[in-house]
Amino acid sequence: MNYIETVQLDKVYNDQKAVNKLDIHIKKGEVYGFIGKNGAGKTTTINMLLSLIHKTSGAVIIDGKKIDFTDVDYKKEIGYVPDVPIFPNHLNNKEYLSFTCEIFGIDKNDIKKKISEVLDFVGLEPSNKRISQYSRGMKQRLAIAQALIHDPQLIIMDEPTSALDPIGRKDVMDIILKLKGKKTIFYSTHILEDVKKVCDRIGLLDNGKLIIEDDISSIQSRYLKENIYIESDISGKELFDLLKKNNLEKNIEIKNNGILCKINGENNGLKILNYLLENKIRVRKYEEVEASLEDIFMEVTR
């Protein structure tokens, strides 16, 4: 069952389409990676899902219900983590989360327990330290805590690791992994390395259009199949030029000190290997290369 769907969703600014006939399908309980370079339309899409901006046309459906801009109730089942969270810096984490609990109408008798549980979940201690003294990573974990405090079914994260150092990114990734299977997570990012670690499926957005939507393994099998990387005694350029002279350069590119053979149904790698052996050119490396998300992104957006 899809928890989120958009149907031909458009957003136009000054005759420029920021989001163009977007149809996304996010299943209940999955981590969905919404990927694309900066300016692709990711944040605009999220703002329409949250009714923070008006859509130009199309529909948003959440948990089977078509959402109108004035609807409020559906937001009670959403936790939102922005890319750069802003806090009242004079408060400590307990005061801030207590304030958040009051906004969501959580019973006063349950507030202390909920704050303790959610802080423990994101790896923060209840503290009197002001939020203004927090590191960027601590602020992001606190933003996740406030998104979880009312136990929502859906978590929407907009570029949650974009401004973090490697340790901060790992902390956020670990939290997402702990939530996996328990919540539906819509995770927007341009950091493809993170997507592969946590996401069940991805939607690739380019210039406001959805280019691909599928699980990662299916996408990898569909694009850049069975790539073979070959290194020999001669440089990658020399090897490429030699193969070109013998009409063997089809679906080949120079990579590092060797060549990458994109097989795509035709086993060029085996032909090239036989050619090198017949001509007594020593092969130093011959290995299958799994298509990375970066490779796929470059391939489909060319």
Side-chain angles (χ1 to χ4, degrees):
M1 174 184 173
N2 292 326
Y3 195 81
I4 302 176
E5 290 181 51
T6 64
V7 182
Q8 297 288 284
L9 187 64
D10 279 353
K11 181 61 182 178
V12 179
Y13 293 106
N14 299 322
D15 298 325
Q16 181 70 37
K17 280 199 173 185
V19 174
N20 190 353
K21 300 193 181 308
L22 183 66
D23 293 326
I24 58 175
H25 311 84
I26 302 171
K27 298 175 183 177
K28 192 174 182 67
E30 77 175 351
V31 181
Y32 183 95
F34 196 48
I35 66 176
K37 58 192 175 186
N38 290 330
K42 302 187 301 297
T43 296
T44 300
T45 300
I46 286 173
N47 287 339
M48 287 189 284
L49 294 180
L50 295 170
S51 294
L52 296 176
I53 60 173
H54 286 276
K55 63 183 185 291
T56 301
S57 61
V60 174
I61 301 167
I62 298 180
D63 198 18
K65 299 173 185 175
K66 191 173 179 179
I67 300 305
D68 186 77
F69 184 82
T70 57
D71 290 340
V72 174
D73 286 346
Y74 83 98
K75 296 180 183 179
K76 296 175 183 177
E77 293 300 320
I78 299 176
Y80 173 53
V81 182
D83 57 341
V84 182
I86 298 173
F87 301 95
N89 286 325
H90 64 286
L91 299 181
N92 60 44
N93 59 22
K94 295 178 294 183
E95 292 167 336
Y96 173 68
L97 291 176
S98 178
F99 170 67
T100 306
C101 286
E102 290 175 15
I103 290 175
F104 282 107
I106 293 171
D107 191 300
K108 289 184 178 180
N109 295 321
D110 297 331
I111 287 178
K112 187 174 181 180
K113 181 183 177 184
K114 277 191 169 291
I115 290 173
S116 177
E117 288 174 349
V118 78
L119 285 175
D120 180 66
F121 187 82
V122 300
L124 291 173
E125 294 284 340
S127 170
N128 292 323
K129 182 178 181 179
R130 296 186 189 279
I131 300 173
S132 59
Q133 299 174 291
Y134 276 24
S135 67
R136 181 72 178 82
M138 291 171 70
K139 286 182 177 179
Q140 197 62 281
R141 280 183 281 152
L142 182 59
I144 296 172
Q146 65 79 27
L148 296 173
I149 196 74
H150 59 299
D151 195 24
Q153 293 302 305
L154 170 63
I155 310 294
I156 295 179
M157 296 182 167
D158 188 7
E159 303 266 12
T161 63
S162 61
L164 300 182
D165 61 24
I167 294 174
R169 278 175 58 196
K170 183 181 182 304
D171 288 340
V172 173
M173 291 296 100
D174 288 345
I175 292 170
I176 294 174
L177 285 172
K178 286 197 291 183
L179 290 169
K180 192 169 184 174
K182 300 174 183 174
K183 306 286 183 184
T184 303
I185 301 176
F186 182 88
Y187 169 52
S188 159
T189 185
H190 65 273
I191 303 174
L192 301 182
E193 180 187 342
D194 292 346
V195 170
K196 193 170 180 181
K197 292 177 183 176
V198 299
C199 295
D200 299 300
R201 292 192 312 129
I202 63 172
L204 194 161
L205 197 68
D206 187 45
N207 292 321
K209 294 182 179 181
L210 191 69
I211 308 298
I212 305 173
E213 186 182 62
D214 209 338
D215 63 82
I216 294 173
S217 60
S218 295
I219 289 170
Q220 286 179 318
S221 65
R222 196 190 321 165
Y223 296 93
L224 303 177
K225 304 177 194 177
E226 302 178 62
N227 294 340
I228 301 293
Y229 178 70
I230 302 173
E231 276 187 18
S232 67
D233 275 346
I234 58 179
S235 71
K237 185 179 185 310
E238 289 174 308
L239 180 54
F240 180 86
D241 291 342
L242 179 63
L243 295 170
K244 187 173 182 179
K245 284 180 184 177
N246 291 274
N247 298 316
L248 287 169
E249 83 283 4
K250 184 180 177 182
N251 292 325
I252 290 172
E253 64 181 47
I254 300 167
K255 185 170 184 180
N256 301 328
N257 295 318
I259 57 170
L260 186 68
C261 307
K262 303 174 187 179
I263 293 174
N264 293 330
E266 181 178 341
N267 200 340
N268 261 13
L270 189 56
K271 288 181 183 178
I272 291 168
L273 180 60
N274 288 334
Y275 173 82
L276 296 178
L277 294 174
E278 287 169 4
N279 288 273
K280 300 188 179 349
I281 297 172
R282 184 181 175 192
V283 177
R284 293 183 177 274
K285 188 177 289 186
Y286 183 93
E287 62 186 11
E288 291 186 2
V289 179
E290 184 182 66
S292 69
L293 285 178
E294 286 85 353
D295 294 331
I296 294 166
F297 184 85
M298 292 300 295
E299 181 76 7
V300 299
T301 58
R302 258 174 203 155

